[in-house]
Amino acid sequence: MAFDVWAPHARRVALEAADRRYPMREDAGRPGWWHTRAEAGDGTEYGFRLDGGGLLPDPRSRRQPHGPHGASQVVDHGRFAWTDDGWPGRALPGGVVYELHVGTFTKEGTFDAAAERLDHLVRLGVTHVELMPVCPFPGTHGWGYEGVSLWAVHEPYGGPDGLKRFVDAAHGRGLAVLLDVVHNHLGPSGNYLPAFGPYFTDTHHTPWGSAVNLDAPGSDEVRDYLLGSALAWLRDYHLDGLRLDAVHALADTRALHFLEELSTRVDALSAALGRPLTLIAESDLNDPRTTASREAGGLGLHAQWSDDFHHALHTALTGERQGYYADFAEAPLAALAKTLTRVWLHDGTWSSFRGRHHGRPVDPLRASADRFLGYAQTHDQVGNRAVGDRLPACLSPGLLAVAAGLVLTSPFTPMLFMGEEWGAGTPWQFFTDHTDPELAQAVSRGRRREFAAHGWSEEEVPDPQDRATWERSCLDWSEPERAPHSGLLDWYRELLALRRTEPELTDPDLSAVRVDFDELGRWLVMRRGSLRVAANLTNQPRSVPLSGIAAQLLAASGPLGLGASADLELPGETLAVIRTD
């Protein structure tokens, strides 16, 4: 079979496959590329030697059976027996996303164990499963954002076939599968790309050091490397879309931005496959051009996370005001009302956290609300807290139900973080499993020093390298079967069923959403056509105006009587969905 590798600075390159060495020749038609043929097939282990150096894994390795530092292995994707023929795909509009970390979704921490829980997601009523990154990283346990080998799958999770079995099983149950991919940096251990070529550049700097080279000399090949990886996930693993990590950290000054090029290529692949493919950005820019069409001068991505909605909801529920919550906490109900109707609080306004103005307005007449993901919890907003505490650690069952109601009746595409639906009592903490002792010690010290600067004692902050930190973060699947978790799970199921039967709850017309609120009284009413979503965030009853006569109670998180009135007597810490005349 043929082997190729891009190594523009090498004077000689050799392939080592199945204990044989094959000198490689420069490819006259592709500068910097080396080529040879060797006796190899599915399962053959191999690597490259540059200028007589040590054996290095293939940058485009499809499998790393011995981890990021070991040899690569040939994978014949055609050998897998798919059963999802005829899978039509699932577009994002009208859907509900469920964010899932394979390593902690179950105590086994594998694709196969996660697949055994898919029926739970079907009964819950979600439509898209978003897997956190699955590229290889050192050790067994980690978040996945320090992955390397961007074409391969973490072996302890189940390797390439394990991911395929999971996707196949999900499609068999009508669930689409998205994958979180990281293009803005690679992990510090096992990243051999700099040995091969200018994959990184000092032209720009990021929180992780030198930037991925998207616009400096050699960047054509680097962009092709990332584009090829993205398309391979969608094509070879039958995935339905990608979540793109921290796209604001992709430094690219070229006229054709990398993200626009990616969206163009993905849309073309979607047309060729005959099923929808979705690109979701995590972006800190608050820029509607991220999801605007390419024809309108945008990047053409299909959706993006909306942290401002999360921050407004979080401050309204918890009263927290530190860090980036400060601006939202000044008037949390007003902030929540603005994000529900205009997506962002910071749409050109002053951000005290950044010390500057931030964002750009969303035009509600042109922007489809389902292009923005709304959520109360995510891996970031939980795991980046000092002790990884979820909302149930500080909120009553009543307010957890209110949070669920505001997310699942919002105009946005809702996203849940695994275990949220039953108010998981397990934290989700920052954990690593670095095999390099010096790196492991540096990570542990750095994490504790980071939060010590914010008033935490070092003893309070979990050690990322301690196996117990990962173990505490695994979901407890006995919880959904007992109170109070079972009651909250029933409420999530009821709300998700309501989204399927009430078209007004999935109407993406942002301009049609109206919100009334009382900052001091701490109540809010969101109008979605003839529906009213009324929320009382205090522990005392409130008389809430509905701007219409109550006709039918569709759902309520607590006992509620309904009279034919334009005012609703809403008990404390309760949310109700009501049809009005």
Side-chain angles (χ1 to χ4, degrees):
M1 63 177 292
F3 288 86
D4 298 88
V5 67
W6 184 58
H9 301 319
R11 295 184 301 275
R12 53 192 173 90
V13 180
L15 166 75
E16 196 165 295
D19 298 324
R20 290 187 60 186
R21 189 170 297 185
Y22 301 84
M24 303 186 77
R25 300 183 304 276
E26 292 185 77
D27 190 328
R30 295 189 298 167
W33 281 86
W34 299 75
H35 172 82
T36 193
R37 299 190 65 84
E39 295 181 10
D42 185 70
T44 299
E45 295 190 8
Y46 71 99
F48 299 107
R49 294 186 185 274
L50 308 180
D51 297 321
L55 191 70
L56 300 177
D58 184 357
R60 286 171 166 76
S61 170
R62 271 61 168 184
R63 186 173 189 180
Q64 290 296 120
H66 311 295
H69 299 288
S72 301
Q73 189 176 82
V74 175
V75 174
D76 180 358
H77 287 298
R79 292 171 62 92
F80 186 81
W82 290 94
T83 65
D84 67 348
D85 291 345
W87 166 247
R90 179 68 164 81
L92 190 63
V96 179
V97 179
Y98 188 93
E99 189 186 22
L100 181 162
H101 178 263
V102 175
T104 51
F105 190 56
T106 66
K107 290 190 181 297
E108 295 86 351
T110 65
F111 293 118
D112 289 340
E116 293 177 3
R117 297 291 182 179
L118 287 174
D119 289 337
H120 165 82
L121 302 185
V122 173
R123 291 192 297 271
L124 177 61
V126 301
T127 58
H128 292 69
V129 180
E130 182 183 299
L131 300 178
M132 289 175 61
V134 301
C135 289
F137 54 85
T140 301
H141 311 299
W143 280 21
Y145 293 93
E146 293 185 337
V148 293
S149 298
L150 300 189
W151 298 54
V153 180
H154 191 49
E155 202 68 20
Y157 288 171
D161 280 4
L163 175 56
K164 292 172 186 175
R165 288 192 297 271
F166 179 89
V167 174
D168 203 41
H171 287 172
R173 291 165 172 80
L175 296 170
V177 183
L178 312 172
L179 177 64
D180 193 340
V181 296
V182 184
H183 291 155
N184 52 64
H185 74 286
L186 274 75
S189 179
N191 175 16
Y192 295 101
L193 292 182
F196 285 90
Y199 282 88
F200 298 87
T201 175
D202 289 330
T203 303
H204 311 285
H205 289 273
T206 74
W208 306 281
S210 297
V212 173
N213 181 13
L214 298 176
D215 57 5
S219 58
D220 285 359
E221 294 292 353
V222 179
R223 292 164 75 104
D224 187 66
Y225 172 78
L226 297 175
L227 293 167
S229 168
L231 297 175
W233 292 118
L234 300 170
R235 181 186 60 247
D236 299 335
Y237 291 91
H238 293 201
L239 288 164
D240 301 285
L242 303 173
R243 182 262 191 188
L244 309 173
D245 181 64
V247 299
H248 50 270
L250 294 172
D252 183 7
T253 61
R254 289 169 62 155
L256 177 60
H257 194 280
F258 170 75
L259 292 175
E260 182 181 352
E261 190 173 3
L262 175 61
S263 72
T264 301
R265 297 279 293 273
V266 168
D267 285 349
L269 179 62
S270 173
L273 296 176
R275 58 183 175 90
L277 298 174
T278 300
L279 291 175
I280 302 174
E282 180 201 16
S283 174
D284 186 44
L285 299 177
N286 284 17
D287 188 349
R289 290 174 294 188
T290 302
T291 52
S293 69
R294 296 185 295 275
E295 294 77 8
L299 297 177
L301 304 182
H302 307 106
Q304 60 181 306
W305 283 25
S306 180
D307 273 354
D308 277 23
F309 171 71
H310 167 272
H311 299 345
L313 179 59
H314 187 89
T315 55
L317 293 167
T318 68
E320 291 186 16
R321 55 187 312 116
Q322 73 277 11
Y324 48 66
Y325 291 134
D327 292 338
F328 298 84
E330 290 182 1
L333 272 294
L336 185 54
K338 182 176 179 180
T339 59
L340 283 167
T341 56
R342 295 297 183 269
V343 183
W344 293 311
L345 176 69
H346 291 307
D347 54 3
T349 62
W350 173 260
S351 166
S352 62
F353 175 71
R354 298 174 177 86
R356 59 172 175 80
H357 288 77
H358 183 68
R360 184 184 181 100
V362 170
D363 183 349
L365 295 174
R366 300 173 62 187
S368 184
D370 52 21
R371 286 182 173 265
F372 304 95
L373 269 63
Y375 36 83
Q377 300 180 75
T378 71
H379 80 272
D380 268 333
Q381 302 301 337
V382 175
N384 284 325
R385 297 171 68 85
V387 295
D389 48 319
R390 296 170 178 259
L391 284 179
C394 65
L395 295 185
S396 66
L399 286 180
L400 290 175
V402 171
L406 290 172
V407 169
L408 294 176
T409 62
S410 77
F412 311 123
T413 295
M415 185 176 74
L416 312 179
F417 179 52
M418 62 176 193
E420 169 189 336
E421 69 272 22
W422 70 74
T426 51
W428 203 73
Q429 300 175 334
F430 179 66
F431 49 89
T432 56
D433 190 23
H434 290 297
T435 53
D436 180 338
E438 291 187 6
L439 179 58
Q441 187 177 56
V443 168
S444 295
R445 286 178 177 173
R447 179 74 173 180
R448 288 179 164 173
R449 286 175 179 171
E450 174 188 356
F451 286 99
H454 296 285
W456 294 83
S457 68
E458 291 195 10
E459 293 74 21
E460 292 178 283
V461 180
D463 180 359
Q465 282 289 121
D466 186 346
R467 181 181 172 88
T469 304
W470 162 73
E471 291 175 339
R472 283 191 297 270
S473 301
C474 294
L475 290 178
D476 178 358
W477 281 92
S478 71
E479 286 185 338
E481 302 171 2
R482 61 179 189 268
H485 305 286
S486 57
L488 185 60
L489 178 57
D490 288 342
W491 174 237
Y492 271 83
R493 287 171 174 165
E494 182 179 358
L495 289 169
L496 285 166
L498 197 63
R499 281 181 57 85
R500 295 192 296 273
T501 58
E502 299 296 332
E504 287 161 308
L505 292 181
T506 53
D507 182 359
D509 183 0
L510 193 61
S511 68
V513 181
R514 298 286 185 274
V515 176
D516 303 311
F517 65 94
D518 184 327
E519 197 74 63
L520 294 178
R522 287 182 53 76
W523 59 259
L524 176 147
V525 177
M526 177 170 49
R527 288 182 268 171
R528 309 286 315 273
S530 67
L531 303 186
R532 303 291 183 267
V533 179
N536 180 0
L537 277 67
T538 74
N539 58 10
Q540 300 296 319
R542 290 286 186 266
S543 180
V544 177
L546 293 178
S547 301
I549 304 300
Q552 181 185 6
L553 178 64
L554 299 180
S557 63
L560 179 64
L562 192 65
S565 171
D567 291 333
L568 175 68
E569 296 303 316
L570 194 59
E573 298 185 350
T574 300
L575 180 139
V577 183
I578 296 163
R579 191 184 308 282
T580 60
D581 288 333

